[in-house]
Amino acid sequence: MEEIEQTSSKQLRSLGQNGIVQPLLTDLYQITMAYAYWKSGKTKDHAVFDLFFRKNPFQGEFTIFGGLEECLKFLEKFHYSASDIEYLKETLPPSIESDFYNFLNTVSAEDVRLYAIPEGSIAFPRVPLMRIEGPLIIVQLLETTLLTLVNYASLMSTNAARYRMAAGNMKLFEFGLRRAQGPDGGLSASKYSYIGGFDGTSNVLAGKLFNIPVKGTHAHAYITSFNGFSELRNTCLEPKGGGPQRDLLQLALGHRSNLVPTFSVVESEASDGELAAFISFAIAFPDGFMTLVDTYDVKRYSCSSNKLFNVTPNTQSHNEYRFNLIPMPNTKRGQNNCSGSGLLNFCAVALALNDLGYRAIGIRLDSGDLAYLSNVARQFFYEISEKYNLPWFANLTIMASNDINEETILSLNEQGHKINCFGIGTHLVTCQRQPSLGGVYKLVELNSQPRIKLSQDVGKVTMPGRKDAYRLYGDSGHALVDLIQRSVEPPPELNQKVLCRHPFEESKRAYVIPTRVEKLLTLYWENGKIVQELPNLQQIKERVKQSLKTLRPDIKRTLNPTPYKVAVSDKLYTFLHELWLKSAPIGELS
Amino acid sequence: MEEIEQTSSKQLRSLGQNGIVQPLLTDLYQITMAYAYWKSGKTKDHAVFDLFFRKNPFQGEFTIFGGLEECLKFLEKFHYSASDIEYLKETLPPSIESDFYNFLNTVSAEDVRLYAIPEGSIAFPRVPLMRIEGPLIIVQLLETTLLTLVNYASLMSTNAARYRMAAGNMKLFEFGLRRAQGPDGGLSASKYSYIGGFDGTSNVLAGKLFNIPVKGTHAHAYITSFNGFSELRNTCLEPKGGGPQRDLLQLALGHRSNLVPTFSVVESEASDGELAAFISFAIAFPDGFMTLVDTYDVKRYSCSSNKLFNVTPNTQSHNEYRFNLIPMPNTKRGQNNCSGSGLLNFCAVALALNDLGYRAIGIRLDSGDLAYLSNVARQFFYEISEKYNLPWFANLTIMASNDINEETILSLNEQGHKINCFGIGTHLVTCQRQPSLGGVYKLVELNSQPRIKLSQDVGKVTMPGRKDAYRLYGDSGHALVDLIQRSVEPPPELNQKVLCRHPFEESKRAYVIPTRVEKLLTLYWENGKIVQELPNLQQIKERVKQSLKTLRPDIKRTLNPTPYKVAVSDKLYTFLHELWLKSAPIGELS
C-alpha cells in the first residue's frame, strides 16, 4: 500500500480555491443591506464583527477551527466582476441608484482587518474564531461566504479529530466522496479530515490539489468481473529480484491446496472467479496487493455440526449467512463451484507473491461482523506466519470499511478486534451526528460604540465591543480557561491572580493564576494582504494534534465530557451587563 | 489547480458546472482498477452498470431523481488533462507501465451509452436511475463522480419536495448557504431545492448561474447598526406617483403615536434605533419593504397583571422572556429608552410608505413562538386594515425563518398559524434527517454475461443482467407499480394482465392490468453526445410536481406512508434466482 499511497515528491502545490468561492456566493440580503447602508450614507462607518459559535458539535466539549486559509484566499480575490454587477442590475429593483453599482465596482477587502485564532487550534463557544474590522458595508458583505468557509471546515476537522481519538494509532482513511453533499462537500471533507487527523483519502482530486496521501485498491465489481481462470490472459509475473517470469496462478493454486487443512474448507467452495481477480490484481500491483475478501464469503466453514450450532453472539451473523443466503429449499449439492472464500484465496496469492519476493499488504472487510471476522483473519495470518516462518504475515493490514462511525470504532474497541485500518465514508463526511456547525457573525461595535444583540435565549445575547481572548494555562501544561476581555484592557499577567467570571451567572467567579498566557487572536489580513506566513496542511494537522494535547482528557472524552470553561474579565462582565440593562426593555406593572 | 482557478463565473454560467467536477474527482481505486483491467487485457470488455438506491430517504416512500444534467455535462468533458496524468504518474507505483498513461490520455466517454429516467421524476428503490453501458474500464472510471452528482442532488430534491408538500401553497425560500457542507453543498442545495418545489433562494450565485429567483432583505445587524434618529442622514422620500419629497420619519412617528392604543404599548418602549433602521431601509427599498421585527421584541405588552399572569402554552415562551432577559434584580424604571417593538415600528413605517403610495411587503420572524407571534401580527394587520381602510394590509407577508424543518411546518399547521412564507436553512440543506442518499453503482453484465453481487443481506443482492423498467398506471391515473424486466423481454402491454413478482419473496405475486405504460429508462448519451433535448430547471421543477401527482396520497404522507411497489417480471425472477443458486455457496453438513 505504501506504493499506492505514495505522494508527490514535488514541493507542495500552491493551494488554490474552488472557483465558485466568489463574492456572489452570498445571501442576497448582504447586498440589499449594502445598498441601504450606502443610501443612508454609511459608507464610512467602521464596524467590528465577531465570528463565533455557541455550542460545540457532537455533544462534545471542543471544536477544531478550520477554514482560515480559505477565508484569506477569498479576501484576496474579493471584488465584483462586470458580469456580477450586470446580474445584480437585472436582479435588484430598478429603483436602485446606478452610482451604487459604481461603488460596488470599487469594493475590495483592502480596508479590512481580519484577526483569527490559528487554523487547527481547539476553540470554544463564544470565543471569537475571527474578528473582522473595517468599513461596515464591506465587512457585512463578507459574512455569508466566511461562514460557509468556516462552518463546514471546522465541523469536519472536529469530526475527524474525534474519530482519530477513538481510533488511537489505527490508520484512518476518508472514503466519503460519493456520499458527500455536493462535489465540494467531498473535496472539503477530504481536506479537513486530513487536518483533523486522518492519514489520507480515496479522493484523487484532493490528493492532487492539497497533496494529501491517496489510497485505494478495488471495488467488489472488480471481483465479480472475473468468472474463472479462462479470463486471465496472463498469469505470469517476474520475481521482484529479477529473473524469468513464473506462473503466479499455478503457485497460488498449489498454496491454496496446501492451506485447505488450515482453513478447514472444501477447496471447491473457494471461488475461482475471485482467485482469478486476485491474480490479475496481484500482477498489476505486486507490491500493493490488498483485496476485498467479502465479495462471496470471507471464510467458509466445513459445517461439522458442532461448529454449525455453536453459535456465539460474535459469530451469529456470520453463521446465519449460510442459511439466509439461499431462501429457496431446493438447493442441490454440487450444483455450483463458485462459492468463495476470500481469506483462503487471499492467503494463497499472498504466499505465491512471497515466492517471487513480494510482500502482500493485507485485506479489506466491507461487510459482516467486523470484530469477529478480523479476529478470524488475524488468527489465520498468525498460523500461516508460523507454518511458513514468515513473521510479517502475522502483521498484514486488516482494513474495515463498512458503515463506520465514531460509535462503531468505540464499540469495536470494547469487543476486541484485530483491525488496524479503517476506511470511513458517509458518517464522517456528512457529520451524521450534527450536519452543521452553527457559526454566526455578529456586529459588536460600530464607530467605536458597542453593539449588543439581545435575545429571548440568554445564551444568544452577544458580547458587545471589540474584544480579545486569552487562553490561560496551568502548571500541568493544560489549558484552564479561555478568557474574553475588552480590547482596551491589558492582557492577563503571568503568575498573577486573574478574576474569571461567568458571562451571565453573577455568582460564578474564580481566580486563576496562569503559568502561560496565549493571546488567541492574531492579525492575519491588513492593507489587502495576508500578513502572516500561513502553515501548510501538514503543519495545521500538527497543530490540531498539539492543541488537543493541551486539553485535559476528561474534556475530550466521548461520554459526558467535562465542559471547558470560557470566562469574561470583570470589566467585560460589567460592560456587558450595563449595556444590556440600557438596551433591554422594561415592563410596566399596573 | 489552474483548471479550477480559470473557471470564471462566465464559464460556469455556460457550463453550468462547478470546475471541480472533473475526472480526478473520484476514488483512487477506480484508477487502480483501471490499470489492473488494462494490464489483464480487458480493454475491450463491455460492461453494463446500474445506478440505483436501496431505500427511500427520510422514512418516506418516494425519491426525486436529480443530477442527470450534471452527469451528462461531466461526460462531455470527461478526459484526463496532462497535469492529471502527471499527478497520477507521481502517485501510482513506479511499476505501472507507461503505456497505461498513454491509454488514459485517450480515454473519453465516446463509447459510453447512458440511459436514465427523466430528471425530476419520482423514483423507487432498486429501479435503476441510470444504466451505463460501454467499455468496462471507462464505465468503471465514471462511478464515483456519477454517484457524487446524483446522490446529493436526489436527496436534496426529495427533501425540498417533502417540505413543499408539508407547506402547501406557502412560499418557500432556501436560506441555507452559510450552514451548507462546503460552498458547493450550498450551491447544489439552492439548485435542487428549487427543483424540488422551493420558490427561490437567498444564494446570489445560484441565482446568477441557474436563473433561480433570489430573495433577501436584511439581518439583525442592520437593525443594531442604528442607534437613533440622529444617524439618519436622509429621512425624505419621493412619493411613488412623483412630486416633492416628504419626510418619511415624521410620517412614521405620527403613525406610531396613533397606533399606540391599538398595540396597547408605551411608545417610549419602541426602539428608536429600530425605527431609524426601518426608515433607512424603506427609503432604499420603498417597493420592497420587509423587515425583521424581532431584533428587540416583536410585540410589547403593557403589563397589566391579568395579561402578565395569564400564561397559556402558546404565549409562555413569549412572556417568560420579559423576566429572563434581565437576570439582575436592580432594574430601574425609565433607565432605558431603546426597548423595541418591531411590529409597532413596522406598521408605522408601512403606513408612512402608504401615505406616499408604496405598499409594504411584510415582516420576518426569526425567533420565538412562531405560531403565536404570527397570529398576533396577523391580528394587528387585520385591525389596521380595518381602521385605515387598507384591505391589502391584512394580507401582508409574514415570513418565518428560525430553525424550520419539515416537522416544524407540520406542527405549525396543527397549531394554527398565519405565516405565509418560510425561509429555511440548516435542516433543508444538510438534510438533517438523513444526510446522504446511499446510491450505488453495480456491475450487472459483462460481455453479455449477467453478473450478480451476493450479500448476507438479501436486500443487497443485485439484479443481474441488462434490464429495463416500466411504470404501470391504473384507471385513476395513479402509478400502480414499477416493473423491472430483462431488456430482452417485450414491454408490458396495455390492458393486458401483467404478472408482477416480489423480487425475493416467492409467494408475493400480483396481476396488474395497466391502462398506461411508461418506459422509464431513455437513452441520453451516445457517440459522445447528449441525444435528448434537456429540460431547463423550470421544466424539471414542473416534472417533479406532475410526477408527484401520479402518486397516491397515502404513499406520499409523512406518517407511516404506504410503500410503493417495485416488482420484477416472472422472467427476471427466474433469471435472478437461477443465477443466485449458481453463485451462492452450499454448505456441507457432516
Side-chain angles (χ1 to χ4, degrees):
Chain A
M1 190 51 56
E2 292 80 82
E3 295 296 324
I4 291 181
E5 74 182 46
Q6 191 180 55
T7 53
S8 161
S9 57
K10 288 172 101 180
Q11 291 214 312
L12 276 179
R13 282 163 215 275
S14 64
L15 302 185
Q17 187 160 50
N18 189 339
I20 64 164
V21 179
Q22 42 176 292
L24 287 198
L25 188 74
T26 190
D27 294 306
L28 182 66
Y29 76 3
Q30 310 292 5
I31 295 163
T32 54
M33 279 193 276
Y35 177 64
Y37 282 139
W38 179 86
K39 178 92 178 152
S40 313
K42 281 175 163 289
T43 44
K44 301 278 179 222
D45 283 19
H46 181 89
V48 180
F49 279 78
D50 284 348
L51 192 156
F52 63 98
F53 60 89
R54 298 194 182 102
K55 205 171 157 300
N56 290 302
F58 315 123
Q59 287 143 28
E61 289 295 340
F62 70 89
T63 298
I64 305 288
F65 171 51
L68 174 59
E69 184 178 354
E70 292 279 334
C71 291
L72 296 169
K73 290 190 162 168
F74 171 61
L75 293 188
E76 276 184 330
K77 61 184 191 184
F78 182 73
H79 75 95
Y80 295 90
S81 71
S83 85
D84 289 346
I85 288 177
E86 188 192 329
Y87 172 72
L88 291 174
K89 280 184 184 169
E90 293 164 13
T91 305
L92 292 169
S95 63
I96 290 209
E97 295 175 36
S98 63
D99 271 358
F100 173 66
Y101 297 110
N102 298 336
F103 165 76
L104 269 193
N105 203 22
T106 68
V107 154
S108 81
E110 199 172 341
D111 297 328
V112 170
R113 276 201 303 269
L114 185 146
Y115 297 79
I117 69 172
E119 185 158 9
S121 300
I122 44 172
F124 302 96
R126 307 192 154 278
V127 182
L129 301 170
M130 292 185 188
R131 186 178 72 223
I132 302 101
E133 311 177 350
L136 170 63
I137 299 184
I138 313 290
V139 179
Q140 181 71 64
L141 281 169
L142 300 173
E143 174 179 16
T144 306
T145 322
L146 295 183
L147 285 173
T148 302
L149 294 172
V150 166
N151 272 335
Y152 181 59
S154 300
L155 186 78
M156 192 61 239
S157 304
T158 310
N159 204 24
R162 295 178 63 89
Y163 278 74
R164 166 47 66 209
M165 293 194 309
N169 288 324
M170 279 182 273
K171 290 269 182 195
L172 291 177
F173 290 91
E174 177 270 313
F175 281 3
L177 176 57
R178 64 188 62 194
R179 302 288 163 83
Q181 298 203 339
D184 183 84
L187 200 57
S188 303
S190 305
K191 178 177 174 183
Y192 294 105
S193 60
Y194 183 65
I195 284 178
F198 273 55
D199 297 291
T201 176
S202 66
N203 182 341
V204 188
L205 189 60
K208 183 182 176 192
L209 298 182
F210 308 125
N211 199 26
I212 297 174
V214 288
K215 178 122 174 171
T217 52
H218 62 76
H220 288 110
Y222 188 82
I223 308 296
T224 54
S225 78
F226 286 84
N227 256 345
F229 304 137
S230 63
E231 290 171 24
L232 290 170
R233 287 171 221 184
N234 168 35
T235 57
C236 290
L237 179 65
E238 189 181 301
K240 192 173 171 86
Q245 293 204 336
R246 294 179 64 191
D247 190 314
L248 197 67
L249 175 62
Q250 291 311 317
L251 290 169
L253 283 170
H255 286 295
R256 191 164 84 171
S257 296
N258 293 335
L259 288 170
V260 160
T262 308
F263 281 74
S264 315
V265 293
V266 181
E267 194 181 352
S268 67
E269 287 185 15
S271 163
D272 288 348
E274 187 181 55
L275 183 57
F278 286 4
I279 291 288
S280 79
F281 203 77
I283 289 172
F285 298 101
D287 276 316
F289 184 62
M290 178 155 195
T291 62
L292 276 168
V293 291
D294 62 344
T295 306
Y296 299 103
D297 190 13
V298 178
K299 160 70 182 76
R300 179 134 305 286
Y301 282 102
S302 81
C303 295
S304 63
S305 53
N306 67 328
K307 276 196 182 164
L308 189 62
F309 298 107
N310 182 15
V311 174
T312 70
N314 254 355
T315 62
Q316 191 168 18
S317 63
H318 180 69
N319 276 319
E320 274 181 0
Y321 169 39
R322 303 181 58 74
F323 300 99
N324 287 339
L325 197 61
I326 309 171
M328 290 149 296
N330 57 347
T331 308
K332 290 204 200 84
R333 273 258 207 123
Q335 194 177 21
N336 83 76
N337 64 353
C338 66
S339 60
S341 168
L343 260 186
L344 175 60
N345 281 328
F346 167 80
C347 291
V349 177
L351 288 172
L353 281 170
N354 178 65
D355 293 341
L356 304 190
Y358 300 99
R359 283 193 188 177
I361 304 292
I363 60 169
R364 178 155 74 93
L365 300 167
D366 193 40
S367 59
D369 181 327
L370 299 174
Y372 169 74
L373 291 173
S374 72
N375 278 303
V376 168
R378 183 67 70 207
Q379 181 59 30
F380 283 119
F381 293 163
Y382 182 74
E383 284 176 29
I384 291 168
S385 111
E386 295 277 290
K387 185 169 166 182
Y388 291 84
N389 193 23
L390 297 171
W392 58 271
F393 213 101
N395 302 319
L396 284 168
T397 293
I398 299 177
M399 178 181 228
S401 59
N402 181 36
D403 229 19
I404 311 287
N405 61 19
E406 193 184 336
E407 292 75 23
T408 318
I409 297 175
L410 294 170
S411 154
L412 284 167
N413 290 347
E414 274 177 25
Q415 292 170 64
H417 65 81
K418 295 295 189 300
I419 297 161
N420 39 22
C421 182
F422 284 109
I424 309 183
T426 316
H427 302 309
L428 173 70
V429 305
T430 63
C431 300
Q432 170 205 33
R433 288 172 70 182
Q434 181 179 321
S436 182
L437 181 72
V440 295
Y441 189 84
K442 295 291 172 190
L443 177 66
V444 294
E445 190 178 285
L446 188 62
N447 299 328
S448 305
Q449 296 299 308
R451 285 294 187 276
I452 191 166
K453 157 90 177 70
L454 302 183
S455 170
Q456 279 186 242
D457 176 358
V458 172
K460 286 193 170 180
V461 172
T462 59
M463 303 267 186
R466 187 176 192 270
K467 299 172 298 295
D468 271 294
Y470 299 88
R471 186 159 295 159
L472 311 188
Y473 293 85
D475 278 338
S476 64
H478 284 136
L480 298 174
V481 64
D482 276 15
L483 178 68
I484 311 176
Q485 301 195 151
R486 300 193 60 201
S487 287
V488 291
E489 296 181 63
E493 283 181 50
L494 279 187
N495 304 314
Q496 301 287 320
K497 277 206 297 192
V498 180
L499 180 58
C500 297
R501 300 196 63 164
H502 188 286
F504 305 116
E505 296 182 43
E506 203 175 4
S507 62
K508 289 197 179 167
R509 298 165 301 178
Y511 283 113
V512 172
I513 302 178
T515 57
R516 182 156 82 87
V517 173
E518 183 186 3
K519 186 170 185 181
L520 293 174
L521 291 166
T522 313
L523 183 64
Y524 275 89
W525 176 270
E526 193 178 30
N527 297 323
K529 287 196 301 288
I530 299 171
V531 295
Q532 298 274 342
E533 197 171 330
L534 294 184
N536 63 33
L537 241 57
Q538 203 59 47
Q539 291 166 320
I540 300 173
K541 188 181 173 73
E542 185 60 25
R543 178 175 281 276
V544 172
K545 214 167 141 183
Q546 296 309 325
S547 195
L548 278 168
K549 280 191 187 155
T550 66
L551 216 48
R552 282 205 322 267
D554 57 308
I555 296 171
K556 288 182 283 192
R557 73 184 167 214
T558 307
L559 198 65
N560 297 325
T562 311
Y564 178 80
K565 289 197 174 41
V566 173
V568 297
S569 67
D570 197 46
K571 283 208 168 61
L572 179 55
Y573 182 91
T574 308
F575 185 71
L576 160 67
H577 287 262
E578 281 179 3
L579 197 69
W580 194 343
L581 276 184
K582 249 175 73 183
S583 311
I586 313 183
E588 289 201 355
L589 281 167
S590 55
Chain B
M1 199 64 236
E2 60 281 11
E3 301 91 308
I4 289 177
E5 286 178 333
Q6 282 167 9
T7 309
S8 70
S9 58
K10 204 162 195 178
Q11 282 173 306
L12 268 170
R13 203 170 188 175
S14 60
L15 289 174
Q17 190 157 50
N18 188 337
I20 65 164
V21 179
Q22 43 175 291
L24 286 198
L25 188 74
T26 190
D27 294 306
L28 182 65
Y29 77 3
Q30 309 293 4
I31 295 164
T32 54
M33 279 193 278
Y35 178 64
Y37 283 139
W38 179 86
K39 178 91 178 152
S40 312
K42 281 175 164 287
T43 44
K44 302 277 179 221
D45 282 19
H46 181 90
V48 180
F49 280 78
D50 285 348
L51 190 155
F52 62 97
F53 59 90
R54 298 192 181 104
K55 205 171 156 299
N56 291 302
F58 314 123
Q59 287 143 28
E61 288 296 341
F62 70 89
T63 299
I64 305 287
F65 170 51
L68 174 58
E69 185 179 354
E70 292 279 332
C71 290
L72 295 169
K73 291 190 161 160
F74 171 62
L75 293 188
E76 276 183 330
K77 62 184 191 185
F78 181 74
H79 75 94
Y80 295 90
S81 71
S83 84
D84 289 346
I85 287 177
E86 188 194 331
Y87 171 72
L88 291 174
K89 280 185 183 169
E90 294 165 10
T91 305
L92 292 168
S95 63
I96 290 209
E97 295 174 36
S98 63
D99 270 359
F100 173 65
Y101 297 110
N102 299 335
F103 165 76
L104 269 193
N105 202 22
T106 67
V107 154
S108 81
E110 198 173 340
D111 297 328
V112 170
R113 275 200 305 267
L114 184 145
Y115 297 79
I117 69 172
E119 186 158 8
S121 300
I122 45 172
F124 302 95
R126 306 193 154 279
V127 183
L129 300 169
M130 293 185 187
R131 188 179 70 224
I132 302 101
E133 311 177 351
L136 170 63
I137 298 183
I138 313 289
V139 179
Q140 182 71 64
L141 282 169
L142 300 173
E143 174 179 16
T144 305
T145 322
L146 295 183
L147 285 173
T148 302
L149 294 173
V150 166
N151 273 335
Y152 181 60
S154 300
L155 187 77
M156 192 62 238
S157 305
T158 309
N159 203 25
R162 296 178 62 90
Y163 277 73
R164 167 48 65 210
M165 292 195 309
N169 288 324
M170 279 182 273
K171 290 273 181 193
L172 290 177
F173 290 92
E174 177 271 313
F175 282 2
L177 175 57
R178 66 188 61 194
R179 301 288 165 82
Q181 298 202 339
D184 183 84
L187 200 57
S188 303
S190 306
K191 178 177 175 183
Y192 293 104
S193 60
Y194 183 65
I195 285 178
F198 273 55
D199 297 292
T201 176
S202 65
N203 183 340
V204 188
L205 189 60
K208 181 180 178 191
L209 298 180
F210 308 126
N211 198 26
I212 297 174
V214 287
K215 178 117 174 171
T217 52
H218 63 77
H220 287 110
Y222 188 81
I223 308 296
T224 54
S225 78
F226 287 84
N227 254 345
F229 303 138
S230 63
E231 290 172 24
L232 289 171
R233 288 170 220 187
N234 167 35
T235 57
C236 291
L237 178 65
E238 188 182 302
K240 193 174 169 85
Q245 292 204 338
R246 295 180 63 191
D247 190 316
L248 196 68
L249 175 61
Q250 291 311 316
L251 290 169
L253 283 171
H255 284 297
R256 192 164 83 171
S257 295
N258 293 335
L259 287 172
V260 160
T262 308
F263 280 74
S264 316
V265 293
V266 182
E267 195 181 351
S268 67
E269 287 186 15
S271 162
D272 287 348
E274 188 182 53
L275 183 58
F278 285 5
I279 290 289
S280 80
F281 203 77
I283 289 171
F285 297 101
D287 277 316
F289 185 60
M290 178 155 194
T291 62
L292 276 168
V293 291
D294 62 344
T295 305
Y296 298 103
D297 191 13
V298 177
K299 159 71 183 76
R300 178 135 305 285
Y301 282 103
S302 79
C303 294
S304 62
S305 54
N306 67 328
K307 276 198 180 162
L308 188 63
F309 297 107
N310 182 13
V311 174
T312 68
N314 254 355
T315 63
Q316 190 167 19
S317 63
H318 180 67
N319 276 319
E320 275 181 358
Y321 168 39
R322 301 182 57 76
F323 300 98
N324 287 339
L325 197 60
I326 310 171
M328 289 149 296
N330 57 347
T331 308
K332 290 205 201 84
R333 272 256 207 127
Q335 195 176 21
N336 84 78
N337 65 353
C338 67
S339 61
S341 169
L343 259 187
L344 174 61
N345 281 329
F346 168 80
C347 291
V349 177
L351 288 172
L353 281 171
N354 178 65
D355 294 340
L356 304 189
Y358 299 101
R359 283 193 187 176
I361 304 290
I363 60 169
R364 177 154 74 93
L365 300 168
D366 193 38
S367 60
D369 182 328
L370 300 173
Y372 169 74
L373 291 173
S374 72
N375 277 303
V376 168
R378 183 67 71 209
Q379 181 58 30
F380 283 119
F381 293 161
Y382 182 73
E383 285 175 28
I384 291 169
S385 110
E386 295 276 290
K387 184 169 167 185
Y388 292 82
N389 194 22
L390 297 171
W392 58 269
F393 212 100
N395 302 318
L396 284 168
T397 293
I398 299 176
M399 179 181 226
S401 60
N402 181 35
D403 229 21
I404 311 287
N405 61 18
E406 194 184 336
E407 291 76 24
T408 318
I409 298 175
L410 294 170
S411 155
L412 284 168
N413 290 346
E414 274 177 25
Q415 292 171 63
H417 66 81
K418 295 294 188 301
I419 298 160
N420 40 22
C421 182
F422 285 109
I424 308 182
T426 316
H427 301 311
L428 173 70
V429 305
T430 62
C431 301
Q432 170 205 33
R433 287 172 70 183
Q434 182 180 321
S436 181
L437 181 73
V440 295
Y441 190 85
K442 296 290 173 190
L443 177 67
V444 294
E445 190 179 285
L446 188 62
N447 299 329
S448 305
Q449 296 299 307
R451 285 294 187 276
I452 192 166
K453 157 92 177 68
L454 302 182
S455 171
Q456 278 185 244
D457 175 358
V458 171
K460 287 193 171 180
V461 171
T462 59
M463 304 268 187
R466 189 178 190 270
K467 300 171 297 295
D468 272 293
Y470 300 87
R471 186 160 294 159
L472 311 188
Y473 294 85
D475 279 338
S476 63
H478 284 135
L480 298 173
V481 64
D482 276 15
L483 178 68
I484 311 175
Q485 300 194 152
R486 300 193 59 201
S487 288
V488 291
E489 296 180 64
E493 283 179 53
L494 279 186
N495 305 313
Q496 300 288 320
K497 277 206 298 193
V498 180
L499 180 59
C500 296
R501 301 196 63 164
H502 187 286
F504 304 116
E505 296 182 43
E506 203 174 5
S507 61
K508 288 197 180 168
R509 297 164 302 178
Y511 283 113
V512 173
I513 303 178
T515 58
R516 181 156 83 88
V517 173
E518 182 186 4
K519 186 170 184 181
L520 292 175
L521 291 165
T522 313
L523 184 63
Y524 275 89
W525 176 269
E526 192 178 31
N527 296 324
K529 286 196 303 288
I530 299 171
V531 295
Q532 298 275 341
E533 197 171 329
L534 294 185
N536 62 32
L537 240 58
Q538 204 59 47
Q539 291 166 320
I540 299 173
K541 189 181 173 73
E542 185 58 26
R543 178 175 281 275
V544 172
K545 213 167 143 182
Q546 297 308 325
S547 194
L548 279 168
K549 280 190 186 155
T550 66
L551 263 194
R552 283 205 322 267
D554 57 309
I555 296 171
K556 287 182 283 191
R557 72 184 168 214
T558 307
L559 199 66
N560 297 326
T562 312
Y564 179 81
K565 289 196 174 41
V566 172
V568 297
S569 67
D570 196 46
K571 283 206 169 60
L572 178 56
Y573 181 92
T574 308
F575 185 69
L576 160 67
H577 287 263
E578 281 180 3
L579 197 68
W580 193 344
L581 276 185
K582 251 175 71 184
S583 310
I586 312 181
E588 289 201 356
L589 282 166
S590 56

